[in-house]
């Protein structure tokens, strides 16, 4: 199992593209592997014959370096290939189906007996420490008086019971005799009464069977979703997030977009935002940085990651060198990368790296939100929807009047270790000016 991405620790075998006995040349596609980022085709680095497939299609969580197949040189008898003894070990592969019944069973290890509720015997409330001692040593607490509050059998009670057992003496603790009931029990109830004691103080909850769990369907997590969960947790717990927001008027962008549409040039508002962000980063290179854990790195190329939602999870393909591209080229790149991301066909170089991220939820009607930084990047811009709002403006004669404008909220999440509040505020101020005056974008 090769490392097909920098953060990959294990992979899933989606599909074998060659069968046992097939001739393989350098560069031939052997199988499709789901990494922590996408489904990637594994290519052969040697010529030969695929002699044995050791990890079948559908196998999950195959650790890096695990043997998944054997290749022999042409002319060798591939049917008589010797399989290494440690191939396909259970510690490295989670097979899609249970092992055959003929496989040798691993030696069983006896587990401590669990305390179970027996019919006709009243259940004793146990503290966690007491339960552990009783289960480990197989002790029965039902004939011993609990000394804890509300009739709880404590750790001290369990230790005393264990000492008595080790000495071979019966416990000196006497059972508690429960008081006579006020009413005469029915014959059916009388048969259920036992000689086992009740706690001296009634418990808070009534002893009995635990409540039945609600029905649910367990959905296996893909490699991508597990890595997303891990990286989001690391980001929120290790990066000091700082937030700043600004409202941008996008009337000029909408007007320019409409004029371009007349010439059959189709671009989105998000394409303008990507371009405006790249121009702003070029003007303020101190924001185009990453943090490697020890020092800040200012990047020469402005590579912007755009968040794309897929069935497998969120992935961020990268538009390279955005500052040097025009709006039309940015639109074509964003559309192509988004399609490849949803189809799971992104190449590693198309989603690895990046210097700045943009996440746009405006198309879902979200007004504003805050996004989580994608390390080692230092910033991510969260873009909301366009909304009408009244604004006081001055005409040519200096008279104030109300005008309706289309406003859009952008929220910057920044790493406080490398982008302080002042720098983040200046970045948003410059970005706002670039978005509200899209003609500036043609000058950079």
């Amino acid at each position: 199992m090769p490392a097909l991405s920098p953060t990959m620790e294990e992979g899933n075998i989606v599909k074998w593209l060659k069968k046992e006995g097939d001739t393989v040349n350098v560069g031939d596609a052997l199988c499709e592997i789901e990494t922590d980022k996408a489904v990637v085709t594994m290519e052969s680095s040697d010529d030969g014959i695929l002699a044995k497939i050791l990890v079948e299609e559908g196998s999950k969580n195959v650790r890096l370096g695990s043997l998944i197949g054997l290749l022999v040189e042409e002319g060798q008898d591939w049917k008589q290939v010797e399989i290494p003894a440690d191939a396909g070990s259970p510690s490295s592969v989670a097979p899609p189906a249970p092992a055959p019944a003929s496989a040798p069973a691993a030696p069983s290890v006896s587990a401590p007996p669990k305390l179970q509720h027996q019919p006709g015997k009243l259940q004793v409330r146990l503290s966690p420490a007491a339960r552990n001692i009783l289960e480990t040593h197989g002790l029965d607490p039902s004939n011993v008086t609990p000394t804890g509050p509300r009739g709880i059998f404590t750790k001290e009670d369990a230790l005393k019971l264990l000492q008595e057992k080790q000495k071979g003496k019966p416990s000196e603790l006497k059972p508690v005799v429960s008081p006579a009931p006020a009413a005469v029990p029915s014959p059916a109830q009388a048969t259920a009464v036992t000689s086992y004691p009740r706690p001296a103080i009634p418990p808070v909850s009534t002893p009995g069977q635990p409540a039945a769990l609600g029905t649910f369907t367990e959905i296996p997590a893909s490699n991508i979703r597990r890595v997303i969960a891990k990286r989001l947790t690391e980001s929120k717990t290790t990066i000091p997030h700082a937030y700043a927001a600004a409202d941008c008027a996008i009337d000029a962008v909408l007007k320019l977009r409409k004029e371009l549409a007349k010439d059959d040039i189709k671009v989105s508002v998000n394409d303008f935002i990507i371009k405006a962000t790249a121009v702003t980063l070029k003007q303020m290179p101190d924001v185009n940085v990453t943090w490697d854990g020890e020092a800040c790195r200012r990047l020469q190329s402005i590579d912007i990651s755009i968040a794309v939602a897929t069935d497998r999870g969120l992935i961020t393909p990268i538009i390279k060198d955005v500052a040097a591209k025009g709006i039309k080229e940015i639109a074509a790149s964003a559309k192509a990368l988004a399609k490849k991301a949803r189809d799971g066909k992104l190449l590693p170089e198309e989603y690895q790296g990046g210097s700045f991220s943009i996440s746009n939820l405006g198309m879902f009607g979200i007004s504003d939100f805050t996004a989580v930084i994608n390390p080692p990047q230092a910033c991510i811009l969260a873009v909301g929807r366009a909304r009408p709002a009244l604004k006081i403006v001055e005409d040519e004669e200096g008279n104030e009047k109300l005008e309706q404008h289309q406003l859009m909220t952008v929220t910057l999440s920044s790493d406080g270790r490398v982008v302080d509040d002042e720098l983040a505020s200046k970045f948003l101020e410059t970005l706002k000016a670039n978005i509200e005056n899209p003609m500036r974008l043609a000058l950079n």
Side-chain angles (χ1 to χ4, degrees):
M1 174 62 68
L4 300 175
S5 79
T7 56
M8 178 179 172
E9 296 179 356
E10 55 188 25
N12 300 338
I13 304 294
V14 178
K15 182 180 181 181
W16 279 97
L17 305 177
K18 294 285 187 180
K19 301 188 297 294
E20 292 181 359
D22 285 356
T23 300
V24 177
N25 297 316
V26 174
D28 284 357
L30 286 176
C31 62
E32 293 180 350
I33 297 175
E34 182 187 6
T35 71
D36 56 340
K37 296 290 187 182
V39 177
V40 181
T41 301
M42 176 185 171
E43 297 180 352
S44 176
S45 57
D46 294 298
D47 295 330
I49 298 175
L50 181 59
K52 187 67 176 178
I53 293 176
L54 299 175
V55 181
E56 299 295 333
E57 290 183 4
S59 297
K60 299 182 181 296
N61 308 330
V62 184
R63 301 294 299 178
L64 291 185
S66 300
L67 202 59
I68 61 175
L70 295 175
L71 202 68
V72 299
E73 295 181 357
E74 292 187 16
Q76 291 185 354
D77 187 358
W78 61 271
K79 295 182 180 180
Q80 302 298 325
V81 65
E82 182 179 349
I83 301 175
D86 59 346
S89 61
S91 61
S92 61
V93 181
S102 59
S108 60
V109 180
S110 59
K114 295 287 183 181
L115 293 176
Q116 298 180 351
H117 178 64
Q118 299 177 4
K121 184 179 289 190
L122 291 175
Q123 213 167 9
V124 180
R125 300 179 66 212
L126 306 171
S127 70
R131 178 179 294 277
N132 183 46
I133 295 172
L134 295 175
E135 289 181 349
T136 301
H137 298 279
L139 302 176
D140 183 8
S142 59
N143 292 328
V144 179
T145 304
T147 61
R150 298 184 179 273
I152 295 177
F153 195 93
T154 65
K155 175 183 176 182
E156 288 73 20
D157 296 334
L159 290 174
K160 189 169 183 179
L161 185 60
L162 177 60
Q163 291 175 358
E164 296 298 334
K165 178 182 178 182
Q166 292 174 345
K167 293 178 181 178
K169 299 179 181 179
S171 174
E172 296 179 359
L173 296 176
K174 297 181 179 179
V176 175
V177 180
S178 50
V184 177
S186 64
Q189 292 174 331
T191 59
V193 175
T194 68
S195 60
Y196 295 109
R198 280 184 175 274
I201 303 175
V204 177
S205 59
T206 304
Q209 296 295 330
L213 295 175
T215 58
F216 63 90
T217 301
E218 184 170 309
I219 303 174
S222 65
N223 282 353
I224 295 176
R225 290 201 177 273
R226 284 201 300 271
V227 171
I228 289 173
K230 180 180 178 181
R231 288 177 62 82
L232 286 178
T233 303
E234 289 176 353
S235 177
K236 288 294 287 184
T237 54
T238 62
I239 297 178
H241 283 58
Y243 307 100
D247 289 331
C248 306
I250 60 170
D251 302 87
V253 168
L254 296 176
K255 181 180 178 181
L256 181 56
R257 181 170 176 256
K258 186 178 295 185
E259 291 176 358
L260 292 174
K262 294 178 182 178
D263 296 329
D264 201 28
I265 300 175
K266 297 180 180 180
V267 294
S268 67
V269 174
N270 198 54
D271 299 327
F272 280 96
I273 296 169
I274 294 171
K275 178 63 176 179
T277 302
V279 170
T280 307
L281 289 171
K282 186 176 180 180
Q283 295 169 335
M284 302 183 65
D286 287 343
V287 184
N288 193 50
V289 295
T290 60
W291 177 258
D292 66 356
E294 296 294 336
C296 173
R297 295 182 178 180
R298 182 189 294 175
L299 306 178
Q300 299 300 319
S301 178
I302 298 174
D303 303 330
I304 295 183
S305 305
I306 54 173
V308 177
T310 71
D311 294 338
R312 300 179 182 88
L314 194 69
I315 192 167
T316 51
I318 301 167
I319 303 177
K320 302 290 183 66
D321 198 15
V322 185
K325 290 181 168 65
I327 296 289
K328 188 176 180 181
E329 189 177 357
I330 290 172
S333 298
K335 185 176 180 180
L337 288 170
K339 185 178 186 305
K340 292 184 73 174
R342 295 189 180 98
D343 293 342
K345 300 298 183 182
L346 284 174
L347 300 175
E349 58 268 23
E350 292 175 324
Y351 57 77
Q352 294 173 8
S355 59
F356 192 99
S357 291
I358 296 177
S359 179
N360 191 338
L361 295 181
M363 65 285 293
F364 299 109
I366 303 301
S367 298
D368 61 89
F369 67 103
T370 56
V372 181
I373 296 172
N374 183 23
Q377 297 176 12
C379 296
I380 182 171
L381 188 71
V383 182
R385 68 180 178 88
R387 64 188 190 281
L390 293 176
K391 184 179 179 181
I392 298 177
V393 297
E394 290 186 359
D395 57 19
E396 296 178 354
E397 299 177 356
N399 299 320
E400 293 184 346
K401 62 178 181 178
L402 280 176
E403 284 187 356
Q404 180 173 290
H405 291 268
Q406 292 291 322
L407 295 184
M408 178 185 68
T409 300
V410 293
T411 305
L412 181 70
S413 303
S414 57
D415 185 342
R417 296 172 297 186
V418 289
V419 179
D420 57 27
D421 292 341
E422 181 182 5
L423 183 59
S425 300
K426 290 181 178 179
F427 176 84
L428 281 180
E429 182 183 16
T430 308
L431 177 64
K432 174 181 169 73
N434 288 330
I435 292 176
E436 293 182 346
N437 301 276
M439 295 306 295
R440 290 187 179 188
L441 307 181
L443 303 176
N444 292 271

